Amino acid sequence: MVSVIENMCFPLEDSSDTAHVLVSVRDFATQAGFNAVQNTLVSTAVSELSTNIIKYAGRGCIRVDLVSDGLKEGLRIVAEDSGPGIADVDRAVNRVYSTGNSLGLGLPSVKRIMDSFDIVTAPGKGTRIDVTKWREC
């Protein structure tokens, strides 16, 4: 069972909010004992998820939890919005695909660099992406 030790929540309403989230998450990860490589991976995921929220949904939030499973600690990032949702999740997560004139590498990259990845979405119902990176000792 994973328990939350500490958390931070960031509302996203415009592109300037993504920079604030990124700086705060980097500091949070450093304080939680993440090394530079892990911190970069977490920051990359947060940057991609927060940018997607602004670009595709217009607004949403990022929550960052310091979590423990009793043996190790990690950072769980939950990105949530009430935007248009993702029509083809498999394509968006597992292939180079974009509906927003980008390279389409974002969600596949987040899935690859994080230790866990879960997405719940439906057209017209918004999107919730839950990812975790466990701290290396």
Side-chain angles (χ1 to χ4, degrees):
M1 182 172 142
V2 174
S3 60
V4 176
I5 299 169
E6 184 177 354
N7 70 0
M8 302 171 71
C9 191
F10 304 93
L12 296 168
E13 296 180 1
D14 63 54
S15 59
S16 65
D17 293 332
T18 62
H20 172 69
V21 172
L22 193 54
V23 169
S24 298
V25 170
R26 282 184 180 165
D27 291 345
F28 192 58
T30 298
Q31 292 171 7
F34 278 70
N35 65 38
V37 171
Q38 293 173 301
N39 196 326
T40 298
L41 295 173
V42 167
S43 297
T44 300
V46 167
S47 177
E48 181 60 37
L49 295 171
S50 60
T51 300
N52 281 356
I53 287 173
I54 296 299
K55 185 174 187 176
Y56 296 105
R59 64 184 320 141
C61 68
I62 295 276
R63 190 182 78 234
V64 182
D65 301 327
L66 178 60
V67 296
S68 173
D69 71 354
L71 300 174
K72 59 188 181 261
E73 290 183 350
L75 288 180
R76 178 175 60 205
I77 295 104
V78 178
E80 196 163 13
D81 66 63
S82 56
I86 301 171
D88 189 340
V89 175
D90 181 60
R91 191 171 184 189
V93 172
N94 296 309
R95 301 184 191 127
V96 177
Y97 171 73
S98 174
T99 60
N101 297 320
S102 66
L103 295 175
L105 301 172
L107 290 180
S109 296
V110 171
K111 183 177 178 184
R112 187 180 65 255
I113 65 176
M114 298 300 280
D115 296 322
S116 71
F117 181 97
D118 184 57
I119 184 168
V120 176
T121 186
K125 302 288 185 183
T127 301
R128 183 179 194 274
I129 299 173
D130 187 331
V131 297
T132 302
K133 186 68 167 174
W134 296 105
R135 186 179 65 206
E136 295 177 7
C137 296

